[in-house]
Structures are given as structure tokens and as C-alpha cells.
Amino acid sequence: QAKSCICHMCGAHLNRLHSCLYCVFFGCFTKKHIHEHAKTKRHNLAIDLLYGGIYCFMCQDYIYDKDMEQIAKEEQRKAWKLQAFTPTVVSHYQCTMTVLQISYFEHLKKQTPLLEEDWTTEADQGLRGLINLGNTCFMNCIVQALTHTPLLRDFFLSDRHKCEMQSPSSCLVCEMSTLFQEFYSGHRSPHIPYRLLHLVWTHARHLAGYEQQDAHEFLIAALDVLHRHCKGDDNGKKANNPNHCNCIIDQIFTGGLQSDVTCQVCHGVSTTIDPFWDISLDLPGSSTPFWPLSPGSDGSVVNGESHVSGTTTLTDCLRRFTRPEHLGSSAKIKCSGCHSYQESTKQLTMKKLPIVACFHLKRFEHSAKLRRKITTYVSFPLELDMTPFMASSKESRMNGQYQQPTDSLNNDNKYSLFAVVNHQGTLESGHYTSFIRQHKDQWFKCDDAIITKASIKDVLDSEGYLLFYHKQFLEYE
């Protein structure tokens, strides 16, 4: 009886269109038009026309049922046979296909240039979209970054996880292992990460719910839970990282941040080393005073970054992060040399670099007076040399500037970019996407279920929220 699949209230065919299962009514989920219909008519079940999930308005959740999934597969098979075309971005949950819904997938197909003939056997591996389960783009983009982390991929695909939990179904590492197998199985239909979402809600309750969450917060929470669930994988070797843990998460992501506090009277130095999984960097435009731009901002190239006049670079942010900071008279510390409270300076440097360095650009500012997003463009390079920011390079600094050593053969601290997470929109309403690097320096944009080819220019021109770099050379113990 339906003439077309569009929202009966606003006429849109996007915005997560749902169909009422009691009557012929289509409504937007995003604009809550289907919610209004359900409340008014007491029609409490609707089907997502894009992904095929059944939504219950009484439970306020999607329903997953094996019998319904089997019916969906059969109806989908009949629909494709009837229409004689193969979809490129539809999953087995995309469901009770009817002739009327085919028009939408034709539209979707036009929006997805990554067609089957564009894929190669090598580039195919690991490329898989993820269904958005209701504002879960923050999770999907982090999953894409983790599944394309080389050493993490090698660990899970070699089946090295030994679960010691009483219930493996509650182990996040076991679920990640399954996720890697799904990603590298060769299947091209989008994966539905509902079990992963459930485990995240279980072990990180502050992330539970259908509200949009912060991708950076999810990354740290996921690494923390994975670290805690990896206990059975520690092979007894002495851990060479500040967390003193030999699990795969600490082997790859943990670095050591050195903090040197120098007394301004006796010049005694107190040093502490703390573990870190990521480095959060302030941006120009925030309420925090920013370090002046580097001398390289006149059009020269520093650390692989092409400077345009007035453009902030990742190197600028790292210079500010590792510059000496005077703590002031209101933050005096007790000096072990003077045995009294004195003013001091504090400087952060890298004592030990992780295999994967994640840089978090602090775009979301929360204070008592304001909440806003900082959209300052930050230029970041494909290759990054962290030598200037090492604790061992501290003595080479003069007035906050690093003097490049003559030995250019030292490659231990050089990194290559392999993933970028971006946020579009405002603080209140936004969407996360990611770029991931594949074999032979091919880049792809991951937007939930849709994966499209991307150019290096697309990646480097993006705003950047989380930047993932991998060491070019690994040190073997």
C-alpha cells in the first residue's frame, strides 16, 4: 500500500527511516517522527528500513531474534534475485526487503563508490563497515583504528589470547578476538558490533546508553578494560614499560612520560616517570594560553609538515607540551635540596616511546563558563620524528627550541600515520568518522557501514581529533 519510502511527516528518505509494523507509516528516527507516531497510535514496533533491526518503543531498544534474522535472510535473497543486482554495503540484517525498498539501496549504492570491481584480494583484507546501533559512531571509529593496528592484528589473528575469566562471554579481549576474525574473514557486508557494545556498557558503565559519547573517552576506557582482561596473556617476561605489565595492550600502547620539577633556588631536579596511553595536546583558540608558533611557520618544512603562514602544526603542539612551565608562587613545592617550599619549573618529556603513539587534540573545551568545540585546523604529517621531544634530547634544547643532531641515521623514534579519527558538527550534535591506512599506503574513509576510498590529501586536510602513529622500526629485546 505504500507508494514510496519517505517520512510521512517531513518527506525525508534518510534520517534512519523506520516503518511502523502495525500500519503503513514511515517516520524519521533522528527527528523522532516515528516516536511521535508510536506514542499517538500505541504502535510500539517499527523496523529500520536501512539495517532491518526491529525497534520496540516500550523497551526503547532494538530486538535481535534468530528466527527473525532467518526470515530476513530469506526475504533478502528473494529480493536480490527479483531485482538481479548485488548490494555493496548491505548486511544480513538488512532484512525484509521489498520492491519498494530497492530504490533506497539504489540511492545508497550511488553514494558508495567502493564497488566490488574496485577491490583487490590484498586490499580487501580488514575492510569492513560497522553498523551504527544508535549514536555508536564514537565506538565504530575506534574499532576501525584498533583493527588496523598491525601488532594488535597479528596478536589476535594468531590466537594468542588465553582467557582466564570464569565467563569468556564477559571477556572484552575474547570479543575483540572474534571481531578481528570477522574483519579479516573476507566478508564485505557490515558487521553488527552489538556484543561489543554490550560488553562496553557492562565494564564501563559511564559509557552506557544511546547518547553520543566522546571517542577519546571510549578509547581510554576500551584500553583499560582490555588491559584488565589480558591477565592470562602475560608470559612472565619482565615488562619493559612504565606500567610493568607484559599484556599486549601495554606492549603496544604504553609509553613513559618524564616529569622534571626544577627548584628555582638550588636548581635541584625531582624526576618522576608516569605511564601513558595517549598524549592530550592543547590547541590555539582554547582558554589556555598557547605556545607561540614555531620559527618554521614562514613556509618551511619542519618534521615533515608543510607550514603555511599562521597554520598550527602537530609539532607546534608537541613543542608546547614539552616546554618548561613556571609553576608560580601559588604552586610552590617542597624541595628535597632546600628542605623548604620554593618556586619551581616543570617540564614534560618522553622517557619511553610506545609502539603506537596516539595524539588527542583537545577540541572539546569544558569549563565553568563555557562549553564549546575548537575547530582550529592543525597540520599533521604522514611521518613524525619524536626525537626532539625525548628526555634524552632535553640537554640539546636552547630556549625551548630543539637543535637537530647531525646524526640523521637514528630512526628509532620515527613514526608513520596509520589512522585518523575526525569529528564533524558541534559539541551538542556531531558525528565521528575515521580514515585508516591499508596495504601499499591506500587510505579509506570509514563512516559506520560505508567505506569509501580516500586520498592522502583527504586525510591530511581533515580536521583531526585523534591521530594514530606506528613506529617505523621496532626494537627487539
Side-chain angles (χ1 to χ4, degrees):
Q1 299 177 42
K3 295 181 180 180
S4 60
C5 293
I6 60 173
C7 178
H8 285 188
M9 297 185 73
C10 68
H13 64 275
L14 297 173
N15 294 330
R16 295 177 63 197
L17 193 65
H18 283 57
S19 172
C20 176
L21 290 182
Y22 294 78
C23 66
V24 181
F25 180 89
F26 301 103
C28 297
F29 196 92
T30 305
K31 296 183 179 179
K32 297 191 180 299
H33 291 155
I34 190 68
H35 297 70
E36 295 173 23
H37 174 78
K39 184 176 180 180
T40 303
K41 301 289 187 178
R42 295 186 179 180
H43 292 176
N44 291 315
L45 291 175
I47 185 169
D48 186 333
L49 291 188
L50 177 56
Y51 303 133
I54 306 295
Y55 189 85
C56 174
F57 288 94
M58 295 182 71
C59 302
Q60 296 184 6
D61 199 357
Y62 284 95
I63 302 164
Y64 297 100
D65 181 86
K66 289 184 178 179
D67 293 334
M68 294 181 69
E69 182 179 353
Q70 190 59 43
I71 294 171
K73 285 182 179 179
E74 182 61 25
E75 291 297 322
Q76 185 186 48
R77 188 189 64 79
K78 290 178 183 178
W80 297 144
K81 188 174 181 181
L82 178 66
Q83 291 298 313
F85 94 93
T86 303
T88 58
V89 288
V90 284
S91 76
H92 60 269
Y93 264 82
Q94 289 167 329
C95 68
T96 52
M97 292 295 300
T98 66
V99 176
L100 290 171
Q101 293 169 21
I102 297 297
S103 59
Y104 178 78
F105 284 104
E106 288 285 9
H107 164 78
L108 187 61
K109 190 176 181 183
K110 293 175 184 176
Q111 301 300 310
T112 312
L114 191 64
L115 301 179
E116 197 160 320
E117 57 267 24
D118 294 330
W119 296 57
T120 64
T121 304
E122 185 181 12
D124 182 349
Q125 292 300 310
L127 285 176
R128 196 165 183 187
L130 289 163
I131 299 297
N132 190 317
L133 299 174
N135 290 326
T136 57
C137 55
F138 69 93
M139 177 181 75
N140 291 349
C141 65
I142 297 301
V143 169
Q144 292 288 358
L146 294 179
T147 51
H148 288 87
T149 301
L151 288 184
L152 202 59
R153 174 196 63 207
D154 296 345
F155 174 85
F156 282 111
L157 294 185
S158 59
D159 199 24
R160 290 173 57 192
H161 172 54
K162 302 178 184 66
C163 186
E164 290 191 350
M165 296 187 68
Q166 292 182 348
S167 174
S169 61
S170 63
C171 176
L172 187 63
V173 188
C174 289
E175 178 56 31
M176 283 298 292
S177 182
T178 302
L179 195 66
F180 272 85
Q181 292 169 20
E182 288 284 348
F183 261 72
Y184 291 91
S185 64
H187 295 307
R188 295 171 182 173
S189 59
H191 178 65
I192 305 171
Y194 64 93
R195 284 169 54 191
L196 177 67
L197 181 64
H198 171 70
L199 285 175
V200 169
W201 286 1
T202 302
H203 297 292
R205 295 190 177 277
H206 62 289
L207 296 175
Y210 287 104
E211 296 83 9
Q212 180 67 274
Q213 303 289 349
D214 182 9
H216 172 248
E217 189 175 0
F218 175 82
L219 170 67
I220 300 304
L223 292 179
D224 178 59
V225 177
L226 288 169
H227 160 74
R228 287 189 275 120
H229 290 188
C230 272
K231 291 180 180 178
D233 302 325
D234 195 326
N235 58 17
K237 282 179 61 180
K238 184 179 179 181
N240 186 25
N241 62 66
N243 248 359
H244 304 296
C245 175
N246 206 42
C247 76
I248 189 63
I249 299 302
D250 283 302
Q251 287 185 51
I252 295 175
F253 294 96
T254 298
L257 190 65
Q258 179 169 316
S259 173
D260 294 320
V261 178
T262 306
C263 174
Q264 294 297 284
V265 177
C266 70
H267 302 292
V269 180
S270 173
T271 299
T272 56
I273 299 173
D274 297 308
F276 69 87
W277 279 328
D278 73 313
I279 300 168
S280 294
L281 301 171
D282 288 315
L283 300 181
S286 68
S287 57
T288 307
F290 197 78
W291 186 250
L293 293 180
S294 65
S297 60
D298 56 357
S300 62
V301 175
V302 176
N303 210 349
E305 296 164 315
S306 179
H307 288 67
V308 180
S309 181
T311 300
T312 304
T313 69
L314 178 61
T315 303
D316 292 328
C317 297
L318 285 167
R319 280 199 180 98
R320 183 193 185 282
F321 182 78
T322 56
R323 83 198 193 285
E325 178 185 5
H326 186 67
L327 297 180
S329 56
S330 60
K332 291 183 178 180
I333 63 162
K334 189 171 184 178
C335 176
S336 57
C338 302
H339 302 290
S340 60
Y341 287 91
Q342 304 291 348
E343 291 190 25
S344 58
T345 59
K346 179 181 178 180
Q347 185 173 10
L348 299 174
T349 50
M350 309 295 160
K351 177 64 176 179
K352 178 177 174 56
L353 290 173
I355 293 175
V356 170
C358 175
F359 300 103
H360 164 227
L361 304 184
K362 294 162 71 172
R363 296 199 174 276
F364 303 126
E365 189 170 47
H366 302 271
S367 66
K369 295 183 178 179
L370 55 90
R371 294 176 69 252
R372 60 174 181 149
K373 179 184 174 183
I374 300 168
T375 58
T376 305
Y377 172 70
V378 175
S379 169
F380 50 91
L382 286 174
E383 296 188 350
L384 177 68
D385 187 358
M386 288 293 289
T387 306
F389 313 109
M390 297 293 293
S392 57
S393 303
K394 184 179 177 182
E395 295 179 359
S396 301
R397 290 173 181 266
M398 295 180 62
N399 299 323
Q401 298 300 324
Y402 173 71
Q403 307 300 309
Q404 188 71 29
T406 55
D407 179 15
S408 60
L409 299 177
N410 182 13
N411 293 319
D412 292 345
N413 305 324
K414 290 187 177 179
Y415 286 79
S416 293
L417 183 72
F418 74 93
V420 178
V421 171
N422 287 290
H423 179 272
Q424 291 88 39
T426 63
L427 193 66
E428 292 77 20
S429 175
H431 179 61
Y432 287 101
T433 59
S434 59
F435 288 105
I436 54 97
R437 190 187 70 193
Q438 195 66 345
H439 302 283
K440 298 179 181 178
D441 284 334
Q442 295 185 69
W443 285 88
F444 294 89
K445 181 179 181 181
C446 304
D447 186 351
D448 289 332
I450 301 175
I451 297 181
T452 53
K453 284 185 175 178
S455 67
I456 292 177
K457 186 177 186 301
D458 293 333
V459 178
L460 298 182
D461 286 350
S462 65
E463 191 176 80
Y465 179 51
L466 298 174
L467 310 175
F468 292 84
Y469 285 85
H470 197 288
K471 266 195 175 183
Q472 294 181 0
F473 299 91
L474 301 181
E475 305 91 354
Y476 290 91
E477 298 177 7

PDB file of all heavy atoms in Angstrom, residues 285-317:
ATOM      1  N   GLY A 285      43.208  28.827  20.400  1.00  0.00           N
ATOM      2  CA  GLY A 285      41.774  29.094  20.435  1.00  0.00           C
ATOM      3  C   GLY A 285      41.138  28.632  21.727  1.00  0.00           C
ATOM      4  O   GLY A 285      40.004  28.993  22.039  1.00  0.00           O
ATOM      5  N   SER A 286      41.878  27.819  22.514  1.00  0.00           N
ATOM      6  CA  SER A 286      41.356  27.399  23.812  1.00  0.00           C
ATOM      7  C   SER A 286      41.616  28.509  24.826  1.00  0.00           C
ATOM      8  O   SER A 286      42.343  29.471  24.563  1.00  0.00           O
ATOM      9  CB  SER A 286      42.027  26.099  24.265  1.00  0.00           C
ATOM     10  OG  SER A 286      43.388  26.327  24.565  1.00  0.00           O
ATOM     11  N   SER A 287      41.017  28.361  26.004  1.00  0.00           N
ATOM     12  CA  SER A 287      41.200  29.372  27.046  1.00  0.00           C
ATOM     13  C   SER A 287      42.598  29.287  27.666  1.00  0.00           C
ATOM     14  O   SER A 287      43.022  30.185  28.377  1.00  0.00           O
ATOM     15  CB  SER A 287      40.142  29.189  28.139  1.00  0.00           C
ATOM     16  OG  SER A 287      40.203  27.877  28.670  1.00  0.00           O
ATOM     17  N   THR A 288      43.332  28.176  27.375  1.00  0.00           N
ATOM     18  CA  THR A 288      44.702  28.027  27.863  1.00  0.00           C
ATOM     19  C   THR A 288      45.656  28.791  26.955  1.00  0.00           C
ATOM     20  O   THR A 288      45.608  28.610  25.736  1.00  0.00           O
ATOM     21  CB  THR A 288      45.112  26.540  27.874  1.00  0.00           C
ATOM     22  OG1 THR A 288      44.136  25.797  28.609  1.00  0.00           O
ATOM     23  CG2 THR A 288      46.479  26.361  28.502  1.00  0.00           C
ATOM     24  N   PRO A 289      46.513  29.665  27.500  1.00  0.00           N
ATOM     25  CA  PRO A 289      47.465  30.396  26.650  1.00  0.00           C
ATOM     26  C   PRO A 289      48.315  29.414  25.845  1.00  0.00           C
ATOM     27  O   PRO A 289      48.787  28.415  26.380  1.00  0.00           O
ATOM     28  CB  PRO A 289      48.324  31.178  27.658  1.00  0.00           C
ATOM     29  CG  PRO A 289      47.481  31.265  28.880  1.00  0.00           C
ATOM     30  CD  PRO A 289      46.659  30.025  28.920  1.00  0.00           C
ATOM     31  N   PHE A 290      48.488  29.710  24.549  1.00  0.00           N
ATOM     32  CA  PHE A 290      49.180  28.767  23.674  1.00  0.00           C
ATOM     33  C   PHE A 290      50.608  29.203  23.396  1.00  0.00           C
ATOM     34  O   PHE A 290      50.903  30.389  23.293  1.00  0.00           O
ATOM     35  CB  PHE A 290      48.414  28.615  22.350  1.00  0.00           C
ATOM     36  CG  PHE A 290      48.816  27.401  21.568  1.00  0.00           C
ATOM     37  CD1 PHE A 290      48.339  26.155  21.932  1.00  0.00           C
ATOM     38  CD2 PHE A 290      49.678  27.486  20.488  1.00  0.00           C
ATOM     39  CE1 PHE A 290      48.711  25.015  21.236  1.00  0.00           C
ATOM     40  CE2 PHE A 290      50.059  26.360  19.781  1.00  0.00           C
ATOM     41  CZ  PHE A 290      49.576  25.124  20.150  1.00  0.00           C
ATOM     42  N   TRP A 291      51.475  28.209  23.276  1.00  0.00           N
ATOM     43  CA  TRP A 291      52.874  28.448  22.930  1.00  0.00           C
ATOM     44  C   TRP A 291      52.960  29.105  21.570  1.00  0.00           C
ATOM     45  O   TRP A 291      52.267  28.705  20.645  1.00  0.00           O
ATOM     46  CB  TRP A 291      53.595  27.096  22.929  1.00  0.00           C
ATOM     47  CG  TRP A 291      55.069  27.129  22.732  1.00  0.00           C
ATOM     48  CD1 TRP A 291      55.748  26.704  21.642  1.00  0.00           C
ATOM     49  CD2 TRP A 291      56.048  27.588  23.657  1.00  0.00           C
ATOM     50  NE1 TRP A 291      57.090  26.854  21.826  1.00  0.00           N
ATOM     51  CE2 TRP A 291      57.310  27.397  23.056  1.00  0.00           C
ATOM     52  CE3 TRP A 291      55.988  28.140  24.935  1.00  0.00           C
ATOM     53  CZ2 TRP A 291      58.496  27.743  23.684  1.00  0.00           C
ATOM     54  CZ3 TRP A 291      57.162  28.478  25.551  1.00  0.00           C
ATOM     55  CH2 TRP A 291      58.399  28.284  24.944  1.00  0.00           C
ATOM     56  N   PRO A 292      53.809  30.132  21.378  1.00  0.00           N
ATOM     57  CA  PRO A 292      53.908  30.795  20.075  1.00  0.00           C
ATOM     58  C   PRO A 292      54.276  29.801  18.976  1.00  0.00           C
ATOM     59  O   PRO A 292      54.927  28.790  19.217  1.00  0.00           O
ATOM     60  CB  PRO A 292      55.031  31.820  20.286  1.00  0.00           C
ATOM     61  CG  PRO A 292      55.083  32.033  21.752  1.00  0.00           C
ATOM     62  CD  PRO A 292      54.683  30.740  22.381  1.00  0.00           C
ATOM     63  N   LEU A 293      53.840  30.096  17.771  1.00  0.00           N
ATOM     64  CA  LEU A 293      54.146  29.225  16.639  1.00  0.00           C
ATOM     65  C   LEU A 293      55.642  29.132  16.428  1.00  0.00           C
ATOM     66  O   LEU A 293      56.397  30.035  16.749  1.00  0.00           O
ATOM     67  CB  LEU A 293      53.472  29.757  15.365  1.00  0.00           C
ATOM     68  CG  LEU A 293      51.944  29.711  15.358  1.00  0.00           C
ATOM     69  CD1 LEU A 293      51.423  30.268  14.045  1.00  0.00           C
ATOM     70  CD2 LEU A 293      51.444  28.300  15.548  1.00  0.00           C
ATOM     71  N   SER A 294      56.059  28.007  15.862  1.00  0.00           N
ATOM     72  CA  SER A 294      57.485  27.746  15.677  1.00  0.00           C
ATOM     73  C   SER A 294      58.063  28.638  14.594  1.00  0.00           C
ATOM     74  O   SER A 294      57.339  29.157  13.750  1.00  0.00           O
ATOM     75  CB  SER A 294      57.688  26.286  15.285  1.00  0.00           C
ATOM     76  OG  SER A 294      57.110  26.047  14.018  1.00  0.00           O
ATOM     77  N   PRO A 295      59.406  28.835  14.582  1.00  0.00           N
ATOM     78  CA  PRO A 295      60.035  29.637  13.533  1.00  0.00           C
ATOM     79  C   PRO A 295      59.806  29.061  12.149  1.00  0.00           C
ATOM     80  O   PRO A 295      59.934  29.749  11.159  1.00  0.00           O
ATOM     81  CB  PRO A 295      61.532  29.573  13.903  1.00  0.00           C
ATOM     82  CG  PRO A 295      61.564  29.248  15.352  1.00  0.00           C
ATOM     83  CD  PRO A 295      60.378  28.396  15.600  1.00  0.00           C
ATOM     84  N   GLY A 296      59.442  27.767  12.078  1.00  0.00           N
ATOM     85  CA  GLY A 296      59.214  27.150  10.776  1.00  0.00           C
ATOM     86  C   GLY A 296      57.923  27.563  10.122  1.00  0.00           C
ATOM     87  O   GLY A 296      57.611  27.115   9.032  1.00  0.00           O
ATOM     88  N   SER A 297      57.113  28.421  10.745  1.00  0.00           N
ATOM     89  CA  SER A 297      55.803  28.764  10.207  1.00  0.00           C
ATOM     90  C   SER A 297      55.858  29.803   9.096  1.00  0.00           C
ATOM     91  O   SER A 297      54.853  30.367   8.722  1.00  0.00           O
ATOM     92  CB  SER A 297      54.903  29.289  11.345  1.00  0.00           C
ATOM     93  OG  SER A 297      55.482  30.441  11.917  1.00  0.00           O
ATOM     94  N   ASP A 298      57.025  30.056   8.531  1.00  0.00           N
ATOM     95  CA  ASP A 298      57.134  31.022   7.447  1.00  0.00           C
ATOM     96  C   ASP A 298      57.087  30.352   6.087  1.00  0.00           C
ATOM     97  O   ASP A 298      57.346  30.984   5.068  1.00  0.00           O
ATOM     98  CB  ASP A 298      58.452  31.806   7.585  1.00  0.00           C
ATOM     99  CG  ASP A 298      59.665  30.876   7.615  1.00  0.00           C
ATOM    100  OD1 ASP A 298      59.448  29.637   7.576  1.00  0.00           O
ATOM    101  OD2 ASP A 298      60.791  31.384   7.677  1.00  0.00           O
ATOM    102  N   GLY A 299      56.745  29.052   6.050  1.00  0.00           N
ATOM    103  CA  GLY A 299      56.652  28.363   4.782  1.00  0.00           C
ATOM    104  C   GLY A 299      57.662  27.256   4.637  1.00  0.00           C
ATOM    105  O   GLY A 299      57.715  26.576   3.619  1.00  0.00           O
ATOM    106  N   SER A 300      58.499  27.034   5.666  1.00  0.00           N
ATOM    107  CA  SER A 300      59.483  25.976   5.614  1.00  0.00           C
ATOM    108  C   SER A 300      58.853  24.645   6.000  1.00  0.00           C
ATOM    109  O   SER A 300      57.677  24.571   6.317  1.00  0.00           O
ATOM    110  CB  SER A 300      60.646  26.297   6.551  1.00  0.00           C
ATOM    111  OG  SER A 300      60.170  26.379   7.882  1.00  0.00           O
ATOM    112  N   VAL A 301      59.640  23.581   5.942  1.00  0.00           N
ATOM    113  CA  VAL A 301      59.148  22.258   6.308  1.00  0.00           C
ATOM    114  C   VAL A 301      59.870  21.789   7.565  1.00  0.00           C
ATOM    115  O   VAL A 301      61.091  21.743   7.598  1.00  0.00           O
ATOM    116  CB  VAL A 301      59.369  21.247   5.162  1.00  0.00           C
ATOM    117  CG1 VAL A 301      58.954  19.851   5.602  1.00  0.00           C
ATOM    118  CG2 VAL A 301      58.605  21.678   3.921  1.00  0.00           C
ATOM    119  N   VAL A 302      59.116  21.511   8.612  1.00  0.00           N
ATOM    120  CA  VAL A 302      59.671  21.024   9.871  1.00  0.00           C
ATOM    121  C   VAL A 302      58.988  19.710  10.202  1.00  0.00           C
ATOM    122  O   VAL A 302      57.766  19.633  10.219  1.00  0.00           O
ATOM    123  CB  VAL A 302      59.453  22.049  11.010  1.00  0.00           C
ATOM    124  CG1 VAL A 302      59.951  21.495  12.330  1.00  0.00           C
ATOM    125  CG2 VAL A 302      60.136  23.368  10.680  1.00  0.00           C
ATOM    126  N   ASN A 303      59.796  18.655  10.453  1.00  0.00           N
ATOM    127  CA  ASN A 303      59.266  17.346  10.832  1.00  0.00           C
ATOM    128  C   ASN A 303      58.260  16.816   9.819  1.00  0.00           C
ATOM    129  O   ASN A 303      57.256  16.199  10.170  1.00  0.00           O
ATOM    130  CB  ASN A 303      58.610  17.423  12.210  1.00  0.00           C
ATOM    131  CG  ASN A 303      58.705  16.100  12.947  1.00  0.00           C
ATOM    132  OD1 ASN A 303      59.066  15.090  12.363  1.00  0.00           O
ATOM    133  ND2 ASN A 303      58.373  16.115  14.216  1.00  0.00           N
ATOM    134  N   GLY A 304      58.514  17.103   8.564  1.00  0.00           N
ATOM    135  CA  GLY A 304      57.652  16.574   7.522  1.00  0.00           C
ATOM    136  C   GLY A 304      56.372  17.344   7.310  1.00  0.00           C
ATOM    137  O   GLY A 304      55.548  16.997   6.479  1.00  0.00           O
ATOM    138  N   GLU A 305      56.175  18.436   8.061  1.00  0.00           N
ATOM    139  CA  GLU A 305      54.952  19.228   7.945  1.00  0.00           C
ATOM    140  C   GLU A 305      55.219  20.467   7.102  1.00  0.00           C
ATOM    141  O   GLU A 305      56.156  21.213   7.344  1.00  0.00           O
ATOM    142  CB  GLU A 305      54.452  19.667   9.332  1.00  0.00           C
ATOM    143  CG  GLU A 305      54.057  18.503  10.209  1.00  0.00           C
ATOM    144  CD  GLU A 305      53.955  18.905  11.664  1.00  0.00           C
ATOM    145  OE1 GLU A 305      54.849  19.606  12.151  1.00  0.00           O
ATOM    146  OE2 GLU A 305      52.991  18.491  12.311  1.00  0.00           O
ATOM    147  N   SER A 306      54.380  20.661   6.127  1.00  0.00           N
ATOM    148  CA  SER A 306      54.495  21.841   5.289  1.00  0.00           C
ATOM    149  C   SER A 306      53.776  22.996   5.973  1.00  0.00           C
ATOM    150  O   SER A 306      52.559  22.962   6.140  1.00  0.00           O
ATOM    151  CB  SER A 306      53.875  21.572   3.914  1.00  0.00           C
ATOM    152  OG  SER A 306      53.972  22.727   3.107  1.00  0.00           O
ATOM    153  N   HIS A 307      54.526  24.014   6.386  1.00  0.00           N
ATOM    154  CA  HIS A 307      53.945  25.131   7.144  1.00  0.00           C
ATOM    155  C   HIS A 307      53.381  26.188   6.206  1.00  0.00           C
ATOM    156  O   HIS A 307      54.025  26.618   5.276  1.00  0.00           O
ATOM    157  CB  HIS A 307      55.009  25.789   8.031  1.00  0.00           C
ATOM    158  CG  HIS A 307      55.390  24.943   9.197  1.00  0.00           C
ATOM    159  ND1 HIS A 307      56.049  23.749   9.058  1.00  0.00           N
ATOM    160  CD2 HIS A 307      55.205  25.124  10.526  1.00  0.00           C
ATOM    161  CE1 HIS A 307      56.269  23.231  10.254  1.00  0.00           C
ATOM    162  NE2 HIS A 307      55.764  24.045  11.162  1.00  0.00           N
ATOM    163  N   VAL A 308      52.177  26.580   6.479  1.00  0.00           N
ATOM    164  CA  VAL A 308      51.585  27.749   5.842  1.00  0.00           C
ATOM    165  C   VAL A 308      51.526  28.821   6.905  1.00  0.00           C
ATOM    166  O   VAL A 308      51.305  28.525   8.077  1.00  0.00           O
ATOM    167  CB  VAL A 308      50.168  27.424   5.309  1.00  0.00           C
ATOM    168  CG1 VAL A 308      49.551  28.649   4.654  1.00  0.00           C
ATOM    169  CG2 VAL A 308      50.231  26.258   4.327  1.00  0.00           C
ATOM    170  N   SER A 309      51.748  30.053   6.510  1.00  0.00           N
ATOM    171  CA  SER A 309      51.797  31.149   7.481  1.00  0.00           C
ATOM    172  C   SER A 309      50.552  31.146   8.362  1.00  0.00           C
ATOM    173  O   SER A 309      49.429  31.175   7.874  1.00  0.00           O
ATOM    174  CB  SER A 309      51.911  32.485   6.742  1.00  0.00           C
ATOM    175  OG  SER A 309      51.979  33.538   7.682  1.00  0.00           O
ATOM    176  N   GLY A 310      50.775  31.092   9.673  1.00  0.00           N
ATOM    177  CA  GLY A 310      49.671  31.126  10.630  1.00  0.00           C
ATOM    178  C   GLY A 310      49.069  29.772  10.935  1.00  0.00           C
ATOM    179  O   GLY A 310      48.202  29.677  11.792  1.00  0.00           O
ATOM    180  N   THR A 311      49.497  28.702  10.244  1.00  0.00           N
ATOM    181  CA  THR A 311      48.937  27.367  10.477  1.00  0.00           C
ATOM    182  C   THR A 311      49.647  26.691  11.645  1.00  0.00           C
ATOM    183  O   THR A 311      50.866  26.660  11.695  1.00  0.00           O
ATOM    184  CB  THR A 311      49.083  26.489   9.221  1.00  0.00           C
ATOM    185  OG1 THR A 311      48.399  27.102   8.140  1.00  0.00           O
ATOM    186  CG2 THR A 311      48.502  25.101   9.468  1.00  0.00           C
ATOM    187  N   THR A 312      48.858  26.142  12.552  1.00  0.00           N
ATOM    188  CA  THR A 312      49.418  25.390  13.669  1.00  0.00           C
ATOM    189  C   THR A 312      49.701  23.965  13.223  1.00  0.00           C
ATOM    190  O   THR A 312      48.918  23.377  12.482  1.00  0.00           O
ATOM    191  CB  THR A 312      48.425  25.367  14.841  1.00  0.00           C
ATOM    192  OG1 THR A 312      48.102  26.706  15.201  1.00  0.00           O
ATOM    193  CG2 THR A 312      49.021  24.651  16.046  1.00  0.00           C
ATOM    194  N   THR A 313      50.825  23.411  13.664  1.00  0.00           N
ATOM    195  CA  THR A 313      51.183  22.055  13.306  1.00  0.00           C
ATOM    196  C   THR A 313      51.190  21.162  14.535  1.00  0.00           C
ATOM    197  O   THR A 313      51.204  21.650  15.671  1.00  0.00           O
ATOM    198  CB  THR A 313      52.579  22.014  12.647  1.00  0.00           C
ATOM    199  OG1 THR A 313      53.561  22.323  13.646  1.00  0.00           O
ATOM    200  CG2 THR A 313      52.685  23.017  11.507  1.00  0.00           C
ATOM    201  N   LEU A 314      51.209  19.860  14.296  1.00  0.00           N
ATOM    202  CA  LEU A 314      51.318  18.914  15.391  1.00  0.00           C
ATOM    203  C   LEU A 314      52.618  19.125  16.152  1.00  0.00           C
ATOM    204  O   LEU A 314      52.668  19.014  17.379  1.00  0.00           O
ATOM    205  CB  LEU A 314      51.239  17.478  14.846  1.00  0.00           C
ATOM    206  CG  LEU A 314      51.376  16.350  15.869  1.00  0.00           C
ATOM    207  CD1 LEU A 314      50.254  16.408  16.906  1.00  0.00           C
ATOM    208  CD2 LEU A 314      51.393  14.991  15.170  1.00  0.00           C
ATOM    209  N   THR A 315      53.688  19.465  15.420  1.00  0.00           N
ATOM    210  CA  THR A 315      54.970  19.741  16.064  1.00  0.00           C
ATOM    211  C   THR A 315      54.866  20.941  16.998  1.00  0.00           C
ATOM    212  O   THR A 315      55.451  20.945  18.091  1.00  0.00           O
ATOM    213  CB  THR A 315      56.056  19.996  14.999  1.00  0.00           C
ATOM    214  OG1 THR A 315      56.127  18.867  14.133  1.00  0.00           O
ATOM    215  CG2 THR A 315      57.410  20.214  15.642  1.00  0.00           C
ATOM    216  N   ASP A 316      54.129  21.982  16.589  1.00  0.00           N
ATOM    217  CA  ASP A 316      53.900  23.133  17.471  1.00  0.00           C
ATOM    218  C   ASP A 316      53.243  22.690  18.780  1.00  0.00           C
ATOM    219  O   ASP A 316      53.639  23.119  19.869  1.00  0.00           O
ATOM    220  CB  ASP A 316      52.998  24.169  16.784  1.00  0.00           C
ATOM    221  CG  ASP A 316      53.676  24.844  15.609  1.00  0.00           C
ATOM    222  OD1 ASP A 316      54.897  25.023  15.651  1.00  0.00           O
ATOM    223  OD2 ASP A 316      52.976  25.188  14.635  1.00  0.00           O
ATOM    224  N   CYS A 317      52.229  21.829  18.657  1.00  0.00           N
ATOM    225  CA  CYS A 317      51.509  21.366  19.842  1.00  0.00           C
ATOM    226  C   CYS A 317      52.427  20.547  20.752  1.00  0.00           C
ATOM    227  O   CYS A 317      52.366  20.655  21.983  1.00  0.00           O
ATOM    228  CB  CYS A 317      50.304  20.531  19.423  1.00  0.00           C
ATOM    229  SG  CYS A 317      49.059  21.439  18.476  1.00  0.00           S
TER     230      CYS A 317
END
